């Protein structure tokens, strides 16, 4: 690792009569470049700013879209236009093995341009001397066939520690643990498996060796790649609990001679027993991490490789005969992104909105009619994934006290054929037909009767799909001429209620028809007096419908938490 020094800063001092040389102009440029690059590195970090997506254009070539990035030395990298590259023609790509993962990288580069005659040099040398008039700030794209050391990535060890448990040309196993935890805190250890495609089915089993750390679900760790697995990367999480003692160090690793790592039936040997470390602290973890970051030296903050690069894509190759094809492309595999202040502000606002709305949910209700004599049903369900609280109410038809003073039923009214002349020689051919008296079952007194036209297709296939029944409310001619037009003749429905008898009658007016049949009418009868009585007894002392609904919402929330 090379430490690049931007400081101390030194700038030109101008005065009348000063003789300016090449050194003066170069130091002028270096002064502003170094200050800007140091601020880029300290304020923004390194990674992709925008664009630079990598897309496979055919089996052997990729396209890099235009975009911008900042490297680990704070230098700006700009790709002004898309370009297509053949992998085999790129620097760093070897033809020794085709079934592998390769990494497309981008790095800052400078190119000299505009050759001109150097007048000053001609006085020293007799032959013609040329020099370059401009320096083009550019970039270079190349291939790396080995995955980077996790510790070499920018800010890699700020909050987590990643150690390599195993690595060869086809498989890499990484273990990631937090740097700091609080006493007794539950936390996750992540195991990441990286492999080449079609290298074989990966499996890994071992006994966890840990100090000051307890495994919640046992110390045996098992991973088996799915049978149909076609991924180049997998991750599992292991739940652990820190020791209750503060100011101590915990360790997590693989117990000696317990690891069984296989590719199909071939066993791979773990060469070293790498151990991850974490600190158990009594203070806030977030405050400790921020303290570590701001207290580190300037040298440490500016530490970077001598030739830094950004990993734009992981390209998974598979061998086909004597050559290779691109199987998949993973964008920025190590998360090297730079988010500007505006983006971070928007993301924080989005998080605030999600937190504000996390306790809200949508309510839906559905009413179903049961056969007469069946007990009523009331179900409450909370779908946490979509924050939806649903109420399913099933009410028996016919007599009885009902629920909340409402009952429902169906009546078929026979229709006889008639012609226009038989009814009236003038105007439209319509005729009314009536049902007998219907007992609504709510007793004497005023009731509200609501009706609708019900239609059944009579097709067995439609009935199996629950799509054969339709209930038309209001004027059914609204749907005339559409795919929803009813098969029954145009109907107008009216009702007569008899409060002293507790009955009612339904009448229908239909247009001219030449075939006999029935008009089926669905009815609902509602008694306000009985509703108040039933609600008071069913709610168990709840004074209002709003209070009953609130109680049901609390019950649903408690049920979802238990899951």
């Amino acid at each position: 690792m090379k430490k690049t020094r931007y400081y101390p800063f030194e700038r030109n001092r101008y005065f009348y009569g000063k003789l300016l040389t090449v050194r003066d102009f170069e130091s002028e440029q270096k002064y502003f470049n170094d200050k800007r690059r140091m601020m880029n590195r300290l304020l923004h970090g390194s990674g992709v700013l925008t664009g630079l997506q990598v897309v496979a254009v055919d089996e052997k070539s990729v396209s890099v879209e235009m975009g911008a990035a900042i490297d680990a030395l704070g230098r700006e990298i700009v790709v002004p236009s898309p370009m297509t590259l053949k992998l085999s023609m790129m620097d760093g790509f070897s033809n020794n093995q085709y079934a592998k993962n390769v990494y497309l990288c981008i790095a800052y580069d400078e190119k000299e341009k505009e050759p001109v005659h150097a007048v000053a040099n001609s006085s020293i040398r007799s032959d013609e001397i040329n020099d370059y008039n401009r320096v083009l700030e550019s970039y270079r794209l190349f291939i790396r066939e080995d995955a980077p050391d996790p510790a070499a990535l920018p800010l890699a060890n700020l909050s987590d520690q990643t150690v390599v448990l195993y690595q060869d040309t086809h498989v890499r196993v990484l273990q990631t643990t937090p740097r700091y935890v609080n006493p007794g805190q539950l936390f996750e250890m992540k195991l990441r498996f990286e492999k080449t495609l079609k290298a074989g089915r990966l499996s890994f089993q071992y006994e966890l060796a840990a100090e000051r750390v307890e495994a919640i679900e046992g110390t045996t760790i098992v991973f088996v790649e799915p049978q149909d697995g076609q991924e180049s990367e997998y991750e599992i999480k292991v739940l652990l609990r820190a020791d209750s003692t503060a100011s101590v160090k915990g360790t997590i690793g693989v117990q000696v001679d317990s690891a069984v790592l296989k590719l199909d039936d071939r066993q791979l040997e773990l060469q070293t027993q790498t151990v991850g470390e974490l600190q158990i602290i009594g203070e806030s973890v977030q405050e400790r991490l921020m303290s570590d970051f701001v207290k580190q030296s300037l040298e440490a903050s500016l530490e970077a490789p001598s030739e830094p690069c950004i990993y734009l894509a992981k390209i998974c190759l598979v061998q086909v005969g004597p050559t290779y094809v691109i199987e998949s492309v993973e964008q920025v595999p190590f998360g090297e992104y730079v988010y500007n202040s505006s983006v971070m502000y928007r993301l924080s606002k989005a998080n605030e909105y999600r937190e504000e709305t996390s306790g809200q949910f949508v309510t839906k209700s559905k009413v179903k009619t049961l056969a007469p004599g069946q007990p009523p049903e009331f179900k409450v369900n909370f779908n946490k994934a979509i924050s939806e609280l649903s109420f399913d109410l099933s009410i028996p038809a016919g007599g009885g006290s009902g629920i909340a003073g409402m009952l429902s039923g169906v009546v078929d009214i026979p229709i006889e054929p008639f012609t226009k002349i038989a009814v009236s020689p003038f105007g439209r051919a319509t005729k009314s037909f009536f049902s007998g008296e219907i007992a609504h079952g709510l007793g004497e007194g005023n009731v509200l009767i609501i009706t609708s036209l019900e239609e059944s297709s009579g097709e067995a296939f439609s009935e199996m799909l629950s799509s054969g029944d339709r209930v038309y409310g209001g004027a059914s001619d609204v749907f005339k001429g559409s795919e929803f037009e009813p098969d029954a003749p145009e109907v107008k429905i009216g009702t007569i209620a008899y409060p002293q008898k507790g009955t009612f009658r339904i009448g229908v007016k239909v247009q001219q028809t030449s075939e006999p049949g029935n008009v089926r009418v669905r009815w609902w009868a509602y008694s306000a007096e009985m509703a108040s009585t039933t609600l008071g007894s069913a709610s168990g002392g709840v004074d209002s419908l709003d209070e009953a609904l609130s109680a049901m919402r609390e019950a649903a929330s408690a049920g979802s938490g238990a899951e």
Side-chain angles (χ1 to χ4, degrees):
M1 300 286 283
K2 176 184 176 182
K3 297 182 179 180
T4 302
R5 290 286 297 265
Y6 288 112
Y7 56 91
F9 295 106
E10 180 181 286
R11 69 178 188 270
N12 265 318
R13 180 179 178 274
Y14 297 101
F15 55 88
Y16 288 104
K18 178 176 180 176
L19 178 63
L20 296 175
T21 65
V22 171
R23 172 176 172 268
D24 296 304
F25 290 107
E26 286 180 343
S27 64
E28 185 80 4
Q29 290 184 344
K30 185 177 185 301
Y31 173 77
F32 290 105
N33 281 339
D34 285 356
K35 293 197 80 169
R36 186 186 73 253
R37 289 167 178 172
M38 189 177 80
M39 290 300 101
N40 283 344
R41 183 72 181 92
L42 295 178
L43 290 178
H44 306 303
S46 63
V48 175
L49 289 166
T50 183
L52 299 180
Q53 292 89 0
V54 180
V55 180
V57 295
D58 58 34
E59 294 180 344
K60 292 182 171 59
S61 303
V62 295
S63 172
V64 180
E65 300 300 316
M66 60 190 301
I70 297 177
D71 74 358
L73 295 178
R75 299 174 297 185
E76 303 90 348
I77 303 172
V78 178
V79 178
S81 59
M83 60 184 310
T84 300
L85 304 162
K86 190 171 183 179
L87 291 183
S88 60
M89 302 298 291
M90 296 184 66
D91 291 340
F93 187 88
S94 63
N95 296 328
N96 58 347
Q97 186 180 14
Y98 288 130
K100 56 189 174 184
N101 298 330
V102 298
Y103 299 88
L104 176 61
C105 303
I106 190 170
Y108 176 85
D109 196 18
E110 292 183 351
K111 299 176 181 178
E112 296 175 328
K113 61 180 299 187
E114 290 189 18
V116 295
H117 178 66
V119 178
N121 290 332
S122 62
S123 62
I124 304 173
R125 299 176 56 177
S126 59
D127 54 332
E128 184 175 344
I129 302 297
N130 289 337
D131 213 330
Y132 291 92
N133 195 39
R134 291 285 187 271
V135 175
L136 176 64
E137 294 187 349
S138 184
Y139 61 92
R140 64 186 183 94
L141 293 162
F142 57 95
I143 294 293
R144 284 188 175 173
E145 298 191 342
D146 295 324
D149 182 357
L153 296 171
L155 301 177
N157 292 324
L158 176 63
S159 59
D160 302 315
Q161 182 191 47
T162 299
V163 297
V164 180
L165 299 182
Y166 178 83
Q167 182 172 359
D168 63 19
T169 56
H170 293 285
V171 176
R172 188 165 77 150
V173 183
L174 305 175
Q175 171 189 285
T176 302
T177 53
R179 284 188 60 193
Y180 299 108
V181 294
N182 292 132
Q185 177 185 341
L186 290 173
F187 65 95
E188 289 180 336
M189 175 187 74
K190 297 178 182 179
L191 287 176
R192 190 165 72 252
F193 303 88
E194 300 173 357
K195 60 184 288 287
T196 57
L197 291 173
K198 300 184 179 179
R201 190 184 183 200
L202 182 67
S203 64
F204 187 35
Q205 178 174 335
Y206 69 95
E207 291 296 322
L208 188 70
E211 294 183 6
R212 301 285 186 174
V213 173
E214 175 192 3
I216 299 300
E217 299 176 354
T219 59
T220 303
I221 311 301
V222 180
F223 167 76
V224 179
E225 184 178 1
Q227 287 282 4
D228 55 349
Q230 285 293 325
E231 302 294 332
S232 64
E233 186 172 318
Y234 299 91
E235 183 179 273
I236 63 172
K237 298 178 181 179
V238 180
L239 188 62
L240 306 173
R241 177 185 282 116
D243 192 282
S244 58
T245 307
S247 302
V248 296
K249 181 178 71 174
T251 60
I252 303 173
V254 179
Q255 187 172 314
V256 178
D257 299 328
S258 68
V260 180
L261 178 62
K262 289 185 177 181
L263 267 180
D264 289 334
D265 295 329
R266 181 167 63 94
Q267 184 163 337
L268 310 175
E269 296 295 333
L270 272 68
Q271 295 86 358
T272 59
Q273 299 294 330
T274 310
V275 176
E277 297 183 353
L278 55 87
Q279 297 290 330
I280 304 175
I281 60 175
E283 60 187 294
S284 167
V285 171
Q286 185 174 2
E287 291 179 2
R288 179 66 176 271
L289 291 173
M290 292 302 299
S291 175
D292 288 350
F293 177 73
V294 298
K295 288 181 180 179
Q296 66 182 350
S297 67
L298 183 58
E299 290 282 342
S301 297
L302 294 176
E303 192 172 30
S306 57
E307 296 181 358
C309 68
I310 297 170
Y311 290 80
L312 293 183
K314 179 171 77 172
I315 304 173
C316 303
L317 307 179
V318 294
Q319 187 164 356
V320 178
T323 184
Y324 69 91
V325 297
I326 297 174
E327 180 71 16
S328 63
V329 176
E330 180 185 344
Q331 307 292 328
V332 194
F334 306 110
E336 296 176 271
Y337 287 104
V338 175
Y339 300 100
N340 62 44
S341 301
S342 298
V343 172
M344 296 303 294
Y345 172 75
R346 295 292 182 183
L347 291 176
S348 66
K349 297 298 288 183
N351 288 333
E352 289 177 7
Y353 174 76
R354 280 194 291 269
E355 291 175 0
E356 291 173 358
T357 58
S358 61
Q360 300 180 10
F361 49 85
V362 177
T363 59
K364 287 189 176 181
S365 61
K366 183 170 64 176
V367 179
K368 178 182 177 182
T369 301
L370 300 176
Q374 290 190 0
E377 298 176 359
F378 183 70
K379 298 179 181 179
V380 179
N381 181 56
F382 182 67
N383 188 334
K384 190 175 183 180
I386 59 176
S387 298
E388 180 181 280
L389 184 66
S390 60
F391 303 90
D392 295 339
L393 179 63
S394 300
I395 304 174
S401 60
I403 292 182
M406 180 180 291
L407 290 174
S408 178
V410 176
V411 61
D412 289 319
I413 302 177
I415 303 298
E416 299 176 358
F418 65 92
T419 62
K420 179 178 179 180
I421 299 299
V423 178
S424 173
F426 306 102
R428 300 179 64 186
T430 60
K431 188 175 181 181
S432 297
F433 299 88
F434 310 101
S435 70
E437 287 192 25
I438 304 170
H440 47 64
L442 296 175
E444 299 180 0
N446 292 320
V447 295
L448 173 65
I449 306 296
I450 302 174
T451 60
S452 63
L453 176 65
E454 184 166 304
E455 183 179 274
S456 177
S457 65
E459 297 178 2
F461 184 71
S462 297
E463 290 177 359
M464 285 191 297
L465 297 178
S466 301
S467 61
D469 295 333
R470 296 178 178 180
V471 179
Y472 293 88
S476 59
D477 59 350
V478 170
F479 302 99
K480 190 173 184 179
S482 71
E483 58 181 307
F484 312 109
E485 182 177 359
D487 296 330
E490 185 177 334
V491 175
K492 292 184 179 180
I493 306 174
T495 61
I496 303 175
Y498 305 100
Q500 295 181 353
K501 297 181 179 181
T503 60
F504 67 99
R505 188 188 305 274
I506 298 177
V508 296
K509 179 183 284 188
V510 299
Q511 290 190 9
Q512 177 177 327
T513 178
S514 58
E515 295 182 0
N518 290 325
V519 172
R520 172 166 288 189
V521 178
R522 165 74 60 179
W523 58 264
W524 290 267
Y526 173 75
S527 170
E529 181 179 355
M530 186 169 289
S532 60
T533 303
T534 307
L535 179 61
S537 60
S539 61
V542 178
D543 295 333
S544 67
L545 184 59
D546 289 338
E547 293 181 11
L549 184 58
S550 298
M552 289 185 288
R553 287 180 176 176
E554 291 177 3
S557 299
S560 63
E563 294 178 353

